[in-house]
Amino acid sequence: MEAHTLIADSFPSNVLGDFSFEGWMNGTPFGSFFFDSFTEMMDELKQESEDTGKKVVWRKETLTSEGPINIFTSIYRYSKHESVYVAVEATSEKIRIEGIIPSSSVYEKLDVKGNQAHYTRDDSSLFSASLTYQEVMWMEVHGNKTFVYKIMSDSPDITKEQLVQAAREL
């Protein structure tokens, strides 16, 4: 049985009482992930910025493989404008996650089910139609697998407390 089927079977049919399961997807609906080549690409983009005089330069990269992490996301909706996404990233490799967030973002360390978790909220997100992106993220190791859990929302009215509650429901 594939890993995403095992993960899907363990997801609840609703979260926060009123958010019903709508579907799932491979990958994540927000943002991007950086792998080993990220530092090299950043150096190239900095050089391009200097060479062209542009303050903002960017590049869309397409991975040639799935990368070291398999991401599975369940989508829960309350209304057209209120959604919660529950993502599980599974890998058998030892991983370390580092993030970059704007200085205007909110960041807080939390505890979720005995695990150190991280809450972030950005109200100027490029990856969200509402401009709001927030998540609660933590890691767990089970046997030889590492799981990264993310409870995400692009709904401005969802609170940190609601995301933490959804995380504790898993």
Side-chain angles (χ1 to χ4, degrees), residues 5-17:
T5 303
L6 292 171
I7 293 169
D9 290 344
S10 67
F11 278 31
S13 59
N14 65 52
V15 295
L16 299 174

Side-chain angles (χ1 to χ4, degrees), residues 41-53:
M41 184 176 46
M42 283 298 295
D43 291 340
E44 291 172 11
L45 290 172
K46 286 178 187 176
Q47 187 61 51
E48 181 180 335
S49 176
E50 289 177 18
D51 293 347
T52 63

Side-chain angles (χ1 to χ4, degrees), residues 4 20 31-32 34 39 45 52 55 63-65 73 77 79 89 94 102-103 106 112 121 137 143 145 163 166:
H4 77 275
S20 299
S32 57
F34 306 117
T39 303
L45 290 172
T52 63
K55 291 183 179 184
L63 295 175
T64 56
S65 68
T73 302
R77 296 217 196 275
S79 69
E89 305 168 17
K94 185 176 180 176
S103 60
V106 172
V112 172
R121 180 181 176 119
M137 185 271 297
K145 290 271 189 192
L163 291 181

Side-chain angles (χ1 to χ4, degrees), residues 70-144:
N70 298 310
I71 304 168
F72 176 80
T73 302
S74 284
I75 303 159
Y76 297 87
R77 296 217 196 275
Y78 176 68
S79 69
K80 184 177 179 181
H81 301 291
E82 291 190 28
S83 305
V84 171
Y85 304 87
V86 178
V88 177
E89 305 168 17
T91 183
S92 57
E93 297 181 21
K94 185 176 180 176
I95 62 171
R96 185 179 89 192
I97 297 176
E98 293 183 22
I100 300 170
I101 61 172
S103 60
S104 60
S105 295
V106 172
Y107 170 78
E108 183 179 336
K109 286 185 182 179
L110 307 167
D111 178 86
V112 172
K113 300 189 299 184
N115 298 290
Q116 182 180 19
H118 307 275
Y119 170 77
T120 58
R121 180 181 176 119
D122 180 5
D123 288 319
S124 301
S125 175
L126 296 173
F127 302 110
S128 166
S130 70
L131 299 179
T132 296
Y133 172 77
Q134 58 183 326
E135 76 174 31
V136 173
M137 185 271 297
W138 73 98
M139 291 179 20
E140 294 180 13
V141 177
H142 299 279
N144 66 343

